[in-house]
């Protein structure tokens, strides 16, 4: 595919609406290099349930709504997930786990140690809006300065920045 790498599951016209249970497995070396919107393992979700999956050593580049797990997360649930790697946004809105978290989406028990570069970026979420929430989730504050790039949600989220050293201990997640 001319070096573009993984083709994300779901897009603007055909959103992923199912359940994906990774059964505590990891996906290693996920590579995506596409100068388009909605980039991640999943490009665009709506009403999905994604859980129990890790993305390890990811290298992901996209235009906007870019993340290691879901580019645009709408009315969906994400739990027990993590992303480790590098995320690069050429235009705006990107994060370690989710690019944009919208609608009634929830993210729980997740973390990202991804280094996220570009505009409107967050170590965990690029843009949080509507009534979406995040709880018991962490990002590596040594790699990306903010956990949420832009916060427009009417709900309160509980996320915590941890240093690379603190995240390496493993006690954070017990």
């Amino acid at each position: 595919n001319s070096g573009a790498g993984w083709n994300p599951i779901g897009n603007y016209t055909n959103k992923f609406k199912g359940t994906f249970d990774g059964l505590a497995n990891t996906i290693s070396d996920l590579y995506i290099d596409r100068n388009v919107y909605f980039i991640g393992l999943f490009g665009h979700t709506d009403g999905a349930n994604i859980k129990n999956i890790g993305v390890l050593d990811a290298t992901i580049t996209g235009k906007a709504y870019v993340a290691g797990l879901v580019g645009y997360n709408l009315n969906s649930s994400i739990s027990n997930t993590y992303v480790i790697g590098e995320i690069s946004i050429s235009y705006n809105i990107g994060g370690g786990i989710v690019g944009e978290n919208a609608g009634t989406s929830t993210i729980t028990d997740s973390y990202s140690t991804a280094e996220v570069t570009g505009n409107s970026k967050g170590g965990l979420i690029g843009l949080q809006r509507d009534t979406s929430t995040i709880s018991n989730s962490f990002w590596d504050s040594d790699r990306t300065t903010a956990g949420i790039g832009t916060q427009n949600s009417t709900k309160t989220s509980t996320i915590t920045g941890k240093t690379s050293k603190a995240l390496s201990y493993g006690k954070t997640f017990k």
Side-chain angles (χ1 to χ4, degrees):
N1 59 10
S2 303
W6 175 256
N7 188 16
I9 301 167
N11 56 43
Y12 184 75
T13 58
N14 189 20
K15 299 164 185 68
F16 178 74
K17 297 181 178 201
T19 295
F20 179 86
D21 186 344
L23 302 172
N25 288 296
T26 59
I27 295 172
S28 296
D29 303 313
L30 179 63
Y31 174 81
I32 305 171
D33 187 2
R34 298 173 181 266
N35 193 31
V36 296
Y37 291 67
F38 311 117
I39 298 297
L41 177 62
F42 295 86
H44 199 306
T45 62
D46 187 356
N49 181 11
I50 300 170
K51 59 187 176 181
N52 305 320
I53 188 70
V55 177
L56 184 62
D57 297 326
T59 304
I60 299 173
T61 302
K63 188 171 187 174
Y65 308 104
V66 181
L69 194 60
V70 180
Y72 193 98
N73 191 45
L74 178 63
N75 303 319
S76 299
S77 170
I78 295 174
S79 61
N80 300 317
T81 64
Y82 66 89
V83 173
I84 298 170
E86 297 179 5
I87 313 294
S88 178
I89 306 115
S90 65
Y91 181 58
N92 69 7
I93 305 175
I97 297 284
V98 170
E100 182 168 331
N101 202 38
T104 59
S105 293
T106 61
I107 298 172
T108 57
D109 302 323
S110 296
Y111 73 93
S112 168
T113 64
E115 181 173 3
V116 184
T117 58
N119 296 318
S120 299
K121 66 182 186 298
L124 203 63
I125 307 295
L127 171 61
Q128 168 125 346
R129 66 183 186 90
D130 303 324
T131 59
S132 62
T133 59
I134 307 167
S135 62
N136 195 38
S137 296
F138 308 87
W139 88 95
D140 188 331
S141 59
D142 288 338
R143 300 195 69 172
T144 306
T145 56
I148 300 173
T150 303
Q151 170 79 312
N152 290 331
S153 176
T154 59
K155 301 285 186 172
T156 302
S157 292
T158 55
I159 65 171
T160 306
K162 300 274 188 175
T163 64
S164 299
K165 185 176 181 179
L167 284 169
S168 71
Y169 293 144
K171 293 180 181 179
T172 299
F173 311 106
K174 291 185 178 178

